[in-house]
Amino acid sequence: MKVAVYSAHDFELPYLEKAISKDHSVTYTKHELSDVTIYFSQGCDAVALFTSDKADEGVLEKLNAIGIKNIVLRSVGFDHVDLIKAKELGMRIANVPAYSPYSVAEHAVTLLTAINRKLIQSRALINKNDFRLDGLTGFDLHEKTVGIIGLGKIGEIFAKIMNGFGCKLLCYDPHLKQSDNYSFKIENVSLKKLCAESDIISIHCPLNKYTKHLLNASVFSLMKKGIYIINTARGAIIKTEDLFTFLDNDLIGGLGLDVYEFEKGLFFHDHSKDGVKDAILQKLRAYPNVLITGHQAFLTETALKNIADTTAYNLSCFEKEIPCKNIIL
Ligand code: NAI
């Protein structure tokens, strides 16, 4: 197949080249897919997209007009693709349903422990030759109650890790079945109960019309004072602007974000020369108890290899017209 790979980052190129380039004719561009970069896939049979490539109605229509019917996503999430439009246009789409749920779950734990044990402040002090411990007090995770929103592949691994810390586990997942069995004790409760009882909340559900702004001011007000919130799922699950009152009044004790509601065009790019004009992000990152990473939870060697291998598999299925186990459309 002739494949155009959009948003090709240096960190993934060696993995993609090894997995895809041997069987397909591949061209890579660092540019994101958009109205103005469609030309790059002219003459191709498929496009390979990253989470930052927005395949909305207009873009899909243009891809269709140049004969592209195959889309492979180098991601778990597919909230960046207009699936209704793609279906109407008869497109085929496959994703990478599980490249390494460990990578994301482990990053969620990393954010939590880094904020709790004040690692960023600690490093800054040590580098200034200030070896005092004032202001660095954290809390034991042991016996804390952890609320997990979305107990899927990533949420389950996060739960397993927190179980190892000796935490009490709650989850909110409306789609769990009674028959689901876990190697740890966990209670599926209402969002209200999860908020009222948790010391730490970690988000692991997909972004869709039901979960957009699921965590907003009225939900934050149900939470315990000093709650720690970790979001490695999608930025818009949190209504970002509603965070400030709760951060200002110490009602939120710690906030770890790997994803940000307005990350499009910002994350995955170097803005060190042009700066960041986003006032919300500027305000958010100034809090000492807020730790933001730029959508890097997935970024492990294992995950990158699995993404590349699965993308190659998906393309080959499309080319050979054989059933693809990762088809979402
Ligand atoms: P999954 O599909 O295995 O699990 C999602 C879980 O959320 C399911 O158990 C589902 O029942 C539950 N859920 C659905 N709607 C819900 C709702 N309204 N309220 C509560 N729970 C709900 O997905 P997986 O692999 O665990 O990934 C979760 C999310 O993590 C992805 O959708 C993606 O957005 C995000 N992600 C982030 C990455 C990063 O680098 N930061 C990388 C990979 C995924």
Side-chain angles (χ1 to χ4, degrees):
M1 270 193 166
K2 282 191 171 170
V3 188
V5 177
Y6 281 91
S7 298
H9 303 100
D10 289 343
F11 62 73
E12 59 180 341
L13 274 179
Y15 299 89
L16 288 172
E17 276 165 359
K18 195 169 175 199
I20 314 179
S21 298
K22 58 177 165 33
D23 294 327
H24 304 279
S25 162
V26 190
T27 41
Y28 298 92
T29 175
K30 286 189 187 316
H31 293 292
E32 290 177 0
L33 174 65
S34 73
D35 278 353
V36 289
T37 59
I38 294 267
Y39 74 89
F40 188 78
S41 44
Q42 189 81 43
C44 288
D45 309 296
V47 289
L49 307 184
F50 191 63
T51 39
S52 53
D53 293 311
K54 203 165 173 57
D56 59 17
E57 190 178 344
V59 166
L60 289 175
E61 271 170 356
K62 290 198 172 92
L63 284 175
N64 186 57
I66 57 168
I68 292 181
K69 292 281 188 192
N70 303 301
I71 300 179
V72 289
L73 305 176
R74 311 194 307 280
S75 58
V76 175
F78 40 81
D79 48 278
H80 52 304
V81 182
D82 184 338
L83 292 183
I84 296 168
K85 189 70 200 175
K87 188 170 184 186
E88 191 188 306
L89 295 170
M91 290 176 155
R92 289 188 296 193
I93 303 182
N95 71 338
V96 186
Y99 44 75
S100 168
Y102 296 94
S103 64
V104 184
E106 288 172 14
H107 192 75
V109 179
T110 305
L111 284 172
L112 168 62
T113 50
I115 304 165
N116 173 29
R117 303 309 292 267
K118 320 282 187 287
L119 293 191
I120 308 298
Q121 294 93 319
S122 178
R123 182 188 161 98
L125 287 171
I126 298 274
N127 288 351
K128 283 195 301 183
N129 297 328
D130 182 348
F131 298 93
R132 291 172 300 167
L133 300 180
D134 305 310
L136 300 182
T137 310
F139 56 82
D140 284 16
L141 289 170
H142 183 244
E143 292 194 337
K144 290 287 179 293
T145 299
V146 177
I148 300 165
I149 299 181
L151 197 71
K153 290 179 282 300
I154 297 169
E156 183 178 347
I157 291 161
F158 180 79
K160 215 183 270 180
I161 299 171
M162 298 319 291
N163 184 56
F165 276 106
C167 297
K168 178 184 172 194
L169 302 176
L170 299 176
C171 70
Y172 166 67
D173 190 326
H175 307 293
L176 288 194
K177 293 180 219 75
Q178 290 285 343
S179 55
D180 287 337
N181 273 318
Y182 302 99
S183 60
F184 43 82
K185 201 170 151 228
I186 191 160
E187 190 187 351
N188 193 15
V189 297
S190 66
L191 184 59
K192 197 173 165 188
K193 185 170 156 87
L194 179 132
C195 290
E197 296 186 10
S198 298
D199 302 295
I200 296 149
I201 291 177
S202 193
I203 306 172
H204 299 289
C205 63
L207 172 65
N208 55 39
K209 63 179 177 184
Y210 304 107
T211 60
K212 182 166 185 200
H213 292 172
L214 182 70
L215 296 199
N216 53 42
S218 60
V219 176
F220 295 141
S221 64
L222 301 171
M223 296 175 186
K224 279 188 185 175
K225 184 175 187 310
I227 184 81
Y228 268 52
I229 302 172
I230 307 295
N231 186 9
T232 55
R234 285 292 180 267
I237 297 169
I238 293 181
K239 191 167 180 210
T240 314
E241 285 196 69
D242 286 3
L243 287 166
F244 295 112
T245 319
F246 293 84
L247 284 165
D248 288 338
N249 295 299
D250 296 329
L251 296 168
I252 293 177
L255 177 67
L257 302 178
D258 182 56
V259 285
Y260 168 58
E261 187 171 4
F262 309 108
E263 70 179 52
K264 172 102 183 100
L266 200 57
F267 284 12
F268 308 117
H269 300 283
D270 180 5
H271 289 286
S272 56
K273 295 205 173 62
D274 58 337
V276 167
K277 289 160 197 78
D278 181 330
I280 295 180
L281 183 69
Q282 284 175 350
K283 198 170 160 190
L284 207 51
R285 68 186 178 184
Y287 292 91
N289 54 343
V290 175
L291 182 56
I292 303 171
T293 51
H295 207 139
Q296 71 174 70
F298 71 98
L299 198 60
T300 65
E301 289 165 7
T302 311
L304 290 175
K305 183 178 181 310
N306 290 342
I307 291 171
D309 289 349
T310 308
T311 301
Y313 161 83
N314 290 343
L315 286 167
S316 295
C317 291
F318 285 173
E319 182 178 40
K320 294 173 190 153
E321 303 279 345
I322 54 174
C324 175
K325 63 180 185 212
N326 305 319
I327 199 100
I328 52 176
L329 204 65

